[in-house]
Amino acid sequence: MDKCSYTFPKDFLWGGAVAANQIEGAWLEDGKLPNCTDVMVGIGSDGRTPGIRFNIQTGKYEMALKPDKKYLSHEAIDFYHRYKEDLQLIAGMGFKAFRTSISWARIFPHGDDETPNEAGLKFYDDLFGEMIRLGMEPVITLSHYETPLYLMTEYGGWSNRKLIGFFEKYARTVMERYSGKVNYWMTFNEINNMRTMPFAAGGYMPETNDPNAEDFAANYKECEMYQAAHHLFVASSLAVKACHELCPNAICGAMITTSPVAVYPYSCNPDDVFGALQAQRKTFFFTDVMCRGKYPAYIRRIWEGTDYEPVMEENDLQIIQDYPVDYLAVSYYRSSTYKHDYASENSSGGLTSGGIGTVNPYLRGTTPEPWCWPIDPKGLRYVLNVLTDRYQLPLFIVENGVGLDEQEINGRMIEDPERVKYLEEHLAQVAEAIHDGCHILGYLWWGPIDVVSAGTGEMRKRYGFIYVERFNDGSGDMHRSMKQSYARYKEIISNNGF
């Protein structure tokens, strides 16, 4: 392949991706009740503890928002009311696909309701219809850190087996409603992040509450993670089954963050090499079950002599085996290193992209402070090849991007050459991966319009090609304007390469 010319398959799905909880706002409108992320300021530093409290008298958790915090996601960028104008702007880049999520609590406000909320169903009817009118395939996540809060406070969340039935009912409801409109479904966003983000990504509560714990996360136990994960696996398989039955022309996939797969041994010391493999297996555990349809052998050693092995019902393993996912959707932001005698730390920018090891001296730089994520375009090609070799499934890049702290000055178009460079360098590696033999369905840039960050719960970490004037204190008139990267991505899409 000519180093200076990268072309893509003619049916390649170019586009972008967002999430309902980070873009819609309207958090209590038209019958919607809170999802888990509606009570989170962020998931980094002091934002890690959600706005809930344990009621000793009832023995249950309840919502308790912190009065000194600004919950930007409650209004987000008001996409709920502005989606037609925003989709028009987004489609102006020539998008072939647009990923978003259905806010579960818009459809079943409590999660266990007998009947769905028609106002919520109609909103997504209109939203998906507008996407299709503008030439964009809806790519839809069933749960993007959006477990209804009531299911967590009343039932304990995904550690409770009852959520399998609630989720299957929700999945069947929306799949039947939008059959013919949605051809690409995925079940749970970045499911492997439940290791580090049990409340948001795992959607479950700790079984015990220690009010003296330094932070809420300290109450979680490893055994609870495996039990919740098992219930998620069964629910995901049942969603695949529902998709095949209700949407014969659609496919249903799993979704993971692959940054924890791009873990390099810091040296050729066998302890570093094997340690990196063990670190990767923390993600492969999820994909092995969902893509291969069975629990991997190596997990048995982790469960030996512990209470980690989840309780399973008689038909669970058969359901998982019978309904593996049709494709694997991935996010990728950065790589990390593993050094056996170094304690890995999480980045100050939040936990959404995995932990950071020792500094990789071979990478050219990092994203700007305060996030400082190492920039590693070839890491994307690496994980695409690893996953292709392991699963032989179609891959869909549904998140890749860079967050920059930007502000429009005197109405001038924002110049963002760093974003353009990041885009081009990563797309070059995607083209190389396709040439390597990877079957890649498409590339969706994360946050084509500025959204509230999942990692930090703020606006200043901006990924968009489209600027939204809203700031961390909640001020701003929310006007939209295009950055220079908008034109570059449009040009790449129109040429089907660069």
Side-chain angles (χ1 to χ4, degrees), residues 177-252:
R177 178 79 171 224
Y178 308 124
S179 179
K181 284 187 174 180
V182 178
N183 295 316
Y184 296 91
W185 295 95
M186 59 191 80
T187 53
F188 301 100
N189 179 72
E190 294 181 333
I191 187 173
N192 53 318
N193 269 346
M194 67 183 295
R195 285 187 174 278
T196 52
M197 299 160 52
F199 184 84
Y204 68 101
M205 307 290 277
E207 290 184 3
T208 57
N209 177 66
D210 177 8
N212 297 315
E214 290 186 6
D215 61 41
F216 181 78
N219 290 306
Y220 285 99
K221 305 295 185 290
E222 189 82 355
C223 59
E224 297 168 356
M225 188 277 291
Y226 284 110
Q227 187 64 65
H230 177 72
H231 293 156
L232 286 161
F233 294 151
V234 176
S236 178
S237 290
L238 290 173
V240 173
K241 180 176 185 288
C243 178
H244 293 172
E245 292 173 356
L246 300 171
C247 312
N249 295 320
I251 54 177
C252 188

Side-chain angles (χ1 to χ4, degrees), residues 318-338:
Q318 191 64 51
I319 292 170
I320 291 171
Q321 179 179 315
D322 289 346
Y323 301 103
V325 295
D326 301 316
Y327 70 98
L328 182 58
V330 302
S331 67
Y332 174 83
Y333 293 97
R334 59 178 174 82
S335 61
S336 61
T337 60
Y338 180 87

Side-chain angles (χ1 to χ4, degrees), residues 365-439:
T366 63
T367 60
E369 292 185 353
W371 306 294
C372 299
W373 289 1
I375 297 173
D376 181 12
K378 188 166 282 189
L380 177 53
R381 179 184 178 186
Y382 169 74
V383 298
L384 293 172
N385 274 273
V386 167
L387 294 172
T388 294
D389 291 349
R390 195 175 184 95
Y391 302 118
Q392 291 85 50
L393 283 174
L395 304 176
F396 201 161
I397 303 166
V398 297
E399 289 186 31
N400 177 235
V402 60
L404 304 172
D405 189 353
E406 301 160 320
Q407 186 169 336
E408 190 178 63
I409 300 174
N410 297 326
R412 289 184 299 176
M413 178 180 285
I414 292 172
E415 297 180 6
D416 52 348
E418 300 94 340
R419 182 171 289 110
V420 170
K421 185 175 183 181
Y422 184 99
L423 171 68
E424 291 177 345
E425 290 183 342
H426 283 76
L427 281 177
Q429 296 302 321
V430 174
E432 294 286 3
I434 293 171
H435 198 57
D436 293 335
C438 301
H439 180 190

Side-chain angles (χ1 to χ4, degrees), residues 55-66:
N55 188 320
I56 297 177
Q57 294 180 332
T58 64
K60 295 181 179 180
Y61 290 95
E62 57 191 20
M63 185 168 70
L65 300 182
K66 301 173 185 179

